[in-house]
Amino acid sequence: MKAYREFHRRSIEKREEFWAEQAQLVDWHRPFGKVLDYSRPPFARWFVGGQTNLCHNALDRHLATRGGQKALIYISTETGEEKTYTFRELHAEVNRCAGMIRSLGAGVGDRVLIYMPMIPEAVFAMLACARIGAIHSVVFGGFASHSLATRIDDARPKLMITADGGMRAGRAIPYQSMFNEAIRLAKSPPEKVVIFNRGLDPNLKLAAGRDIDYAALRAGHLEDRVPVAWLESNEPSYILYTSGTTGRPKGAQRDTGGYAVALAASLKHIYCGEPGETMFTTSDIGWVVGHSYIVYGPLIRGMTTILYEGLPIRPDAGIWWKIVYDNKVSVMFSSPTAARVLKKQDPAFLRKYDVSSLKHLFLAGEPLDEPTHRWFAEQLGRPVIDHYWQTESGWPILSSVPGVERTPVKFGSPSFPVFGYDLRLLREADAAEAAPNEKAVVAILPPLPPGCMTTVWGDDERFVSTYFKSFQGKLAYSTFDWGIRDEEGYHFILGRTDDVINVAGHRLGTREIEEAVQAHPNIAEVAVVGVADHLKGQMPLAFAVVKDAARIATLEQRAVEEKSVLETVDRMLGAIARPSRVHFVTLLPKTRSGKLLRRSIQALAEGRDPGDLTTIEDPAALEQIRSAVKPL
Ligand code: AMP
């Protein structure tokens, strides 16, 4: 591990020298003066004074050398569409879209909300915002009205770009009712909504004076050439909302120069992607993985990127491997849930296509269990690398770094701290460093490296109080994950320290789900916990106290009420946040001071020991949980 260790050591001990070198991987319109300004801890400002642009680095700078190379390959197994854009063609579309956005009055620093399915226009819109210096806030298409409204109110976008709908498993999911309701709920709604009509919603109606048809607008901007807005490296590029312990999602704000450099460096050293090769990331543009490794990362590196709309098992479980084979994919990135889904299918599909072009398959987003890791690597016959990171970091925190050194994979472990991260395992009680194999909190000593979130959008104070106040007497960033390090330096992630749950790699706050359940007229009180699920990692499970018990007197009535509660969650947050069950109880386990005993509820729901219960107000509440989850 000599080469890896030396690389990492230099990234921490000779931080500025190291990152100045990595910064050469991207274009600068004006060179930076100072590599790092850390005069106001924990805020880090990277490449101070330098001017650059994400869209320029993703597109313009490749035109001379690879204008005719494929930049974006779009494959939808939902609609059957396939489209390819060369760097030149993508550049032209992005210029058109930039012209459209500009014509609607958005420019440097204005927010543009993108609520889109996995279609090329979503990528055009993101890159177009980056081109003109507008700050995009992409909201996952699976989120519903309430989630969208809270994000609108926090980001206050000038403009929303959306579509008539998404598709999942062959079924169209119209967006109109969701964005109309969100706009109705929002206190500061966008003035204009651009809608890309895919022909999925026959009932689509444009709101006069507000809605604009994407294709009609585009027709007026076909020849637009929009100059790149050169931004100081620390100007924000985007906001991406993520769930925490409160009901209010946080807008992770990303800079421009640091992000470009971190992505370029990660593509080179971690993913081993070379310019001209093809990357296939199976995530969604609504998540951080989609931002970094469907859109910006591969394009900045001069790679072709694949945008895939569809499931891993339709038309059959060989579809992803067919895509790898057809496009000679060299780098693939997916999730443990997808691996577990594929593990349940006939393994012959994994061997049906020649996938020898794949250098590595990377997995992230949730814990990867050892049996799945082992099985997948064996069946695929290619190296499968678990790596760990978060919306906040924007790029990997723990990973093996095969571009620097090929270190052996330990199944179930995301290996070692990535360059730039001064990662420590700190004890919760006294912030001291943990011994090998001792469970502790995964922390990072600031300054955080380039590419990480720079603040919470509009709320510096919340950034500091949320992330840097976990350890008494020590300024350290908390990931809110438990972890251990073994004697050989391999790390293992053991789950969250807070009330955030992870469903199929998607992070959800239990508070947010509780608020949605409580919006149902008959719910007085509710506790939502994450419970282990063999496929999705975790699933939310709700225990609710009703206002009017007469409405759930019979079994049939209970079933009807449960369904109606679940529909409320679907409508407000989206089906992704829907609890697997709502159990009705008459009282919830709380401490005498009224705090919900979530960890005990979760333990009971998973059939474990509920732990220390000396503070409980009424032990009968636990009995109710126990009998509610008891298998029949
Ligand atoms: P998100 O911000 O939605 O990407 O979720 C980040 C969280 O997902 C982390 O804080 C971890 O709890 C979890 N996570 C991500 N990658 C891994 C991994 N490789 N192993 C274990 N947990 C992971």
Side-chain angles (χ1 to χ4, degrees):
M1 296 209 293
K2 214 162 149 251
Y4 154 75
R5 281 218 179 93
E6 174 54 21
F7 197 72
H8 185 263
R9 192 190 57 74
R10 211 163 73 78
S11 77
I12 304 298
E13 289 175 9
K14 299 242 157 54
R15 191 171 261 135
E16 300 200 17
E17 187 185 292
F18 177 90
W19 285 110
E21 273 168 35
Q22 301 305 320
Q24 304 313 310
L25 292 168
V26 304
D27 268 7
W28 295 90
H29 179 66
R30 189 177 77 195
F32 46 89
K34 208 168 159 35
V35 180
L36 170 67
D37 169 11
Y38 192 51
S39 55
R40 198 165 67 99
F43 297 92
R45 289 163 46 81
W46 287 97
F47 310 115
V48 183
Q51 282 185 342
T52 188
N53 180 286
L54 286 177
C55 181
H56 167 84
N57 274 291
L59 298 178
D60 301 54
R61 79 164 167 144
H62 301 305
L63 291 180
T65 47
R66 51 187 80 250
Q69 178 195 311
K70 290 175 191 167
L72 178 68
I73 298 175
Y74 174 60
I75 300 168
S76 173
T77 49
E78 297 289 350
T79 61
E81 265 175 300
E82 293 202 12
K83 284 185 195 162
T84 297
Y85 300 84
T86 62
F87 274 93
R88 203 170 293 116
E89 288 162 345
L90 185 57
H91 180 260
E93 281 301 345
V94 168
N95 270 282
R96 287 170 192 138
C97 191
M100 291 156 59
I101 297 173
R102 230 177 30 170
S103 75
L104 297 171
V108 177
D110 290 323
R111 274 79 59 211
V112 174
L113 193 140
I114 299 174
Y115 180 59
M116 295 278 258
M118 290 285 282
I119 54 175
E121 287 69 20
V123 178
F124 305 161
M126 290 169 76
L127 290 165
C129 286
R131 185 167 197 87
I132 63 170
I135 301 168
H136 61 65
S137 164
V138 181
V139 177
F140 173 55
F143 279 136
S145 55
H146 179 80
S147 312
L148 188 53
T150 49
R151 286 156 176 78
I152 290 176
D153 278 336
D154 196 76
R156 284 173 289 110
K158 192 154 211 163
L159 178 73
M160 169 147 83
I161 305 179
T162 184
D164 60 335
M167 263 187 100
R168 194 174 160 80
R171 205 166 55 87
I173 303 162
Y175 281 5
Q176 182 175 235
S177 59
M178 286 182 283
F179 63 71
N180 278 344
E181 175 67 2
I183 288 174
R184 197 186 62 75
L185 292 171
K187 288 176 210 78
S188 48
E191 289 152 28
K192 299 282 176 208
V193 179
V194 180
I195 304 173
F196 184 78
N197 189 350
R198 311 175 71 188
L200 294 181
D201 181 3
N203 301 316
L204 180 71
K205 277 198 198 68
L206 302 193
R210 185 196 75 184
D211 295 351
I212 301 156
D213 177 68
Y214 186 105
L217 185 60
R218 178 179 174 275
H221 295 272
L222 291 179
E223 302 307 321
D224 282 17
R225 284 286 172 272
V226 178
V228 156
W230 296 112
L231 302 176
E232 199 277 335
S233 174
N234 295 279
E235 293 288 318
S237 56
Y238 69 74
I239 313 169
L240 182 57
Y241 286 88
T242 185
S243 299
T245 43
T246 67
R248 201 161 57 92
K250 288 179 293 284
Q253 179 177 320
R254 198 85 66 211
D255 70 1
T256 299
Y259 187 51
V261 172
L263 291 183
S266 69
L267 251 312
K268 179 168 185 219
H269 304 301
I270 302 175
Y271 297 102
C272 305
E274 292 297 323
E277 293 182 351
T278 301
M279 182 159 188
F280 177 23
T281 298
T282 68
S283 183
D284 188 287
I285 48 134
W287 308 115
V288 69
V289 176
H291 282 60
S292 294
Y293 297 112
I294 296 176
V295 183
Y296 291 112
L299 294 176
I300 287 174
R301 185 76 176 140
M303 296 177 77
T304 305
T305 186
I306 294 181
L307 182 74
Y308 175 70
E309 181 185 48
L311 300 177
I313 50 169
R314 263 174 52 104
D316 62 46
I319 180 64
W320 283 359
W321 317 115
K322 180 177 185 313
I323 291 173
V324 168
Y325 172 72
D326 287 348
N327 299 286
K328 298 282 162 283
V329 171
S330 69
V331 187
M332 185 167 168
F333 185 152
S334 192
S335 70
T337 289
R340 287 189 292 264
V341 166
L342 291 170
K343 194 170 156 212
K344 291 184 74 169
Q345 311 289 319
D346 183 350
F349 283 116
L350 270 160
R351 286 181 241 114
K352 192 169 162 195
Y353 299 93
D354 174 6
V355 295
S356 57
S357 61
L358 267 188
K359 294 184 212 171
H360 304 102
L361 167 61
F362 287 84
L363 300 177
E366 55 183 314
L368 174 61
D369 54 290
E370 198 217 302
T372 303
H373 195 172
R374 179 187 301 279
W375 178 88
F376 214 30
E378 284 169 3
Q379 295 298 323
L380 195 64
R382 308 302 304 150
V384 175
I385 298 182
D386 178 20
H387 65 333
Y388 158 89
W389 51 294
Q390 314 180 296
T391 303
E392 289 85 345
S393 68
W395 64 290
I397 298 172
L398 285 168
S399 181
S400 82
V401 187
V404 174
E405 184 177 0
R406 285 179 187 281
T407 46
V409 164
K410 254 192 202 182
F411 293 120
S413 164
S415 299
F416 319 115
V418 165
F419 48 93
Y421 291 94
D422 193 355
L423 187 131
R424 309 291 171 103
L425 287 167
L426 300 181
R427 291 187 186 136
E428 205 178 26
D430 58 3
E433 296 215 22
N437 294 315
E438 181 186 345
K439 180 176 166 181
V441 181
V442 181
I444 302 161
L445 297 191
L448 298 178
C452 290
M453 79 186 278
T454 49
T455 188
V456 170
W457 170 253
D459 201 344
D460 283 357
E461 161 49 32
R462 195 172 173 203
F463 176 60
V464 180
S465 63
T466 303
Y467 294 107
F468 292 91
K469 293 273 158 118
S470 296
F471 305 100
Q472 281 246 306
K474 191 175 247 166
L475 188 69
Y477 168 88
S478 176
T479 60
F480 297 100
D481 281 303
W482 295 111
I484 53 166
R485 176 167 47 226
D486 70 10
E487 294 82 0
E488 291 179 298
Y490 283 81
H491 292 70
F492 295 82
I493 299 293
L494 306 174
R496 298 280 303 190
T497 64
D498 58 9
D499 294 328
V500 166
I501 63 175
N502 196 316
V503 180
H506 306 320
R507 178 159 147 192
L508 300 168
T510 46
R511 272 302 312 153
E512 270 174 287
I513 307 177
E514 283 170 1
E515 282 176 16
V517 170
Q518 228 157 340
H520 184 277
N522 196 26
I523 301 297
E525 230 188 334
V526 60
V528 171
V529 295
V531 176
D533 180 89
H534 67 285
L535 209 57
K536 296 184 171 179
Q538 280 187 309
M539 276 296 282
L541 182 65
F543 297 89
V545 180
V546 292
K547 291 179 185 157
D548 178 5
R551 286 175 56 102
I552 56 163
T554 67
L555 274 179
E556 286 77 28
Q557 283 177 317
R558 279 180 170 242
V560 170
E561 199 71 333
E562 180 176 2
K563 189 159 169 272
S564 136
V565 171
L566 295 177
E567 280 165 5
T568 308
V569 177
D570 283 5
R571 206 177 54 246
M572 289 186 64
L573 300 181
I576 148 176
R578 184 196 301 161
S580 55
R581 287 291 316 267
V582 182
H583 293 294
F584 296 112
V585 291
T586 58
L587 127 124
L588 291 169
K590 288 188 190 160
T591 61
R592 276 173 222 115
S593 56
K595 219 170 144 274
L596 267 177
L597 285 163
R598 281 170 209 276
R599 288 193 193 174
S600 305
I601 303 176
Q602 184 191 34
L604 281 178
E606 291 183 341
R608 291 182 284 114
D609 177 41
D612 177 18
L613 295 170
T614 44
T615 58
I616 193 164
E617 189 182 41
D618 185 347
L622 280 182
E623 272 323 302
Q624 290 204 26
I625 303 284
R626 211 177 255 130
S627 55
V629 297
K630 207 168 52 209
L632 291 174

